[in-house]
Amino acid sequence: MARILIIDDSPSQLYGMQKIVEKLGHETILTEDGKEGIQIAREQLPDLILMDVVMPDLNGFQATRKISKDERTAHIPIIIVTTKKLETDRVWGLRQGAKEYLVKPVTEKALKTVLATHLPS
């Protein structure tokens, strides 16, 4: 069982992703704030992060960059999960350190695939 940090300012999106991730047998850590997400990542070192982009204060691109550039957390795969569907957004997200870029609404199948790809066996 992996520990997945889900960072999304939408309570309904958090709930939806939490249900899927837990159904797949993983533990979840939830936050609605990018700054708090960075702190949780540093303190709890989750196995993977699901990151929204559009959030107040610190957006998901900024949080992804901070987590992926910090030597304590750089090993944690970050999957961006967002409504931003332009190719330039996807490229920018990957340049910030994300391993994958998923556009909402995300299906259980898509989450299952990225978790299987990026979590240790």
Side-chain angles (χ1 to χ4, degrees):
M1 173 173 63
R3 288 182 3 183
I4 312 297
L5 171 57
I6 305 173
I7 305 170
D8 196 311
D9 65 326
S10 165
S12 63
Q13 289 293 324
L14 268 178
Y15 178 77
M17 285 191 285
Q18 176 187 23
K19 285 298 174 199
I20 293 171
V21 170
E22 289 178 354
K23 179 180 176 186
L24 295 171
H26 303 294
E27 177 186 340
T28 56
I29 306 163
L30 308 175
T31 183
E32 297 179 9
D33 178 84
K35 285 182 184 177
E36 186 177 51
I38 293 168
Q39 182 179 344
I40 292 170
R42 288 178 179 155
E43 292 171 359
Q44 298 194 31
L45 299 174
D47 298 299
L48 185 136
I49 298 170
L50 297 174
M51 176 82 71
D52 184 26
V53 170
V54 181
M55 297 183 286
D57 296 325
L58 192 72
N59 72 44
F61 291 142
Q62 295 165 318
T64 296
R65 183 171 51 250
K66 288 181 181 291
I67 292 168
S68 66
K69 303 298 183 216
D70 185 323
E71 66 182 36
R72 296 168 289 178
T73 55
H75 67 282
I76 303 169
I78 301 171
I79 311 303
I80 289 181
V81 184
T82 182
T83 56
K84 296 177 73 64
K85 52 186 159 190
L86 295 177
E87 180 63 14
T88 54
D89 293 320
R90 187 187 73 77
V91 169
W92 185 246
L94 297 174
R95 285 187 179 163
Q96 303 317 300
K99 300 297 184 198
E100 299 270 353
Y101 191 97
L102 300 176
V103 177
K104 294 176 184 176
V106 177
T107 64
E108 181 176 333
K109 181 180 178 182
L111 274 180
K112 184 175 183 177
T113 299
V114 296
L115 294 180
T117 302
H118 295 285
L119 288 173
S121 306

